[in-house]
Amino acid sequence: MTGIRNNFRHNFNFQHFPYGVYFIGGIILLIIASLFRPFAIINAGERGVVMKFGQVQDKVLDEGIHLITPIATTVRSLNVRVQQNTFQSDAASKDLQKITTELAVNWHIDPTKANKVFQKVGDQTQIVPAIITPAVSEVLKAATAKKTAEEIITKRTELKEEIDENLKRRLMAYDLVLDDVSLVNFDFSPEFSKAIEAKQIAEQDAKQAEFIAKKATQEALAEVNRAKGQAEAQKLQRQTLTPELLQKQAIEKWDGRFPTVLGGNGALPLINVNPNSFNNGEKQ
């Protein structure tokens, strides 16, 4: 019995004990790693802002896994993908018409300056209300004040370019990149909308009346040209018409029969022909 106990102790001490130490040590290391995190993982489309004891460092972490000093160093991830936000702002035109404009703004954080953005403004949830919203409102009011309500409609591309340029300059000061601005919609007051509709109807009626007038003028001109042509033809016909020609045309149209009723002098109209000459010609 004593031998069996000694054999069990010998096997446990030299065979199982080292594996148990490794297993327990691994668990302890995992617990330490989960608590102190000696590494940082930066996902795709993000950049890591490194802070040592709360102070933002100059280094910006790219995508991937990075070793850091636990406790002393923390990393904050910022989204640097293109983001879209829609804004609605009221403004007045040059002719004092109230205009409600809806804009879609595409923007992103400059990846190389993510640490500066976080230090000056914060993350993306703070950037929109603190920087982009007031910038859009101010730029939009300044741009629409230079144009009348009608010009805002007819010169939409020009207005968009002005807003795009000014807003890009405003956001650049905060290390934000403006990708694009889209003017989604314009809303005017009901009175102005009715005035625009009435003006469009009047313009369409004027164009229709102009078309009818041009058509009548062209038709009258064509009629005059036809009349001139007929007059010229009749004049030419009168100049070329001779008694011999009339006699020839009458003979060509004659069907060979004499009228049953003659005039008072017994002469055939237009045809001064002796019937006896035809009889003699037939006998010959």
Side-chain angles (χ1 to χ4, degrees), residues 11-29:
N11 292 337
F12 177 78
N13 291 333
F14 293 98
Q15 293 182 6
H16 297 285
F17 183 71
Y19 295 105
V21 171
Y22 295 152
F23 179 75
I24 294 173
I27 293 176
I28 293 173
L29 288 176

Side-chain angles (χ1 to χ4, degrees), residues 8-167:
F8 174 77
R9 291 174 181 175
H10 175 78
N11 292 337
F12 177 78
N13 291 333
F14 293 98
Q15 293 182 6
H16 297 285
F17 183 71
Y19 295 105
V21 171
Y22 295 152
F23 179 75
I24 294 173
I27 293 176
I28 293 173
L29 288 176
L30 288 175
I31 294 174
I32 294 174
S34 62
L35 291 176
F36 298 101
R37 292 183 63 87
F39 59 89
I41 299 176
I42 309 301
N43 297 320
E46 295 180 348
R47 291 296 184 272
V49 178
V50 181
M51 291 174 287
K52 185 170 289 186
F53 295 110
Q55 183 179 7
V56 176
Q57 304 298 303
D58 294 333
K59 183 179 180 181
V60 177
L61 301 181
D62 294 331
E63 301 169 0
I65 186 169
H66 305 270
L67 294 176
I68 60 173
T69 303
I71 302 176
T73 303
T74 57
V75 177
R76 182 68 177 271
S77 296
L78 288 186
N79 186 357
V80 296
R81 290 192 178 106
V82 176
Q83 303 181 57
Q84 184 183 84
N85 294 94
T86 302
F87 303 90
Q88 198 172 50
S89 179
D90 294 332
S93 62
K94 187 176 181 180
D95 52 351
L96 302 181
Q97 293 292 335
K98 181 182 177 182
I99 302 172
T100 302
T101 308
E102 184 179 356
L103 293 89
V105 179
N106 293 338
W107 63 278
H108 69 273
I109 297 173
D110 186 347
T112 62
K113 298 178 180 179
N115 55 341
K116 301 296 182 183
V117 174
F118 184 78
Q119 188 176 34
K120 290 187 294 185
V121 185
D123 59 11
Q124 49 268 24
T125 61
Q126 297 168 304
I127 290 172
V128 174
I131 304 299
I132 300 180
T133 300
V136 167
S137 179
E138 184 175 346
V139 168
L140 179 62
K141 289 179 180 178
T144 54
K146 298 177 182 178
K147 292 179 172 57
T148 64
E150 185 175 354
E151 288 175 340
I152 290 174
I153 298 174
T154 58
K155 298 181 180 180
R156 187 185 184 111
T157 302
E158 183 179 326
L159 179 64
K160 175 190 177 302
E161 291 176 354
E162 183 176 354
I163 294 174
D164 199 330
E165 181 180 353
N166 293 334
L167 188 58

Side-chain angles (χ1 to χ4, degrees), residues 243-254:
E244 291 79 8
L245 180 60
L246 291 173
Q247 184 73 16
K248 182 178 180 297
Q249 291 178 351
I251 294 173
E252 290 175 350
K253 294 181 179 180
W254 184 41

Side-chain angles (χ1 to χ4, degrees), residues 226-253:
R226 285 195 295 268
K228 288 182 178 179
Q230 291 176 0
E232 292 293 333
Q234 291 175 359
K235 181 179 179 182
L236 181 61
Q237 187 177 17
R238 285 194 301 269
Q239 291 175 353
T240 58
L241 197 62
T242 61
E244 291 79 8
L245 180 60
L246 291 173
Q247 184 73 16
K248 182 178 180 297
Q249 291 178 351
I251 294 173
E252 290 175 350
K253 294 181 179 180

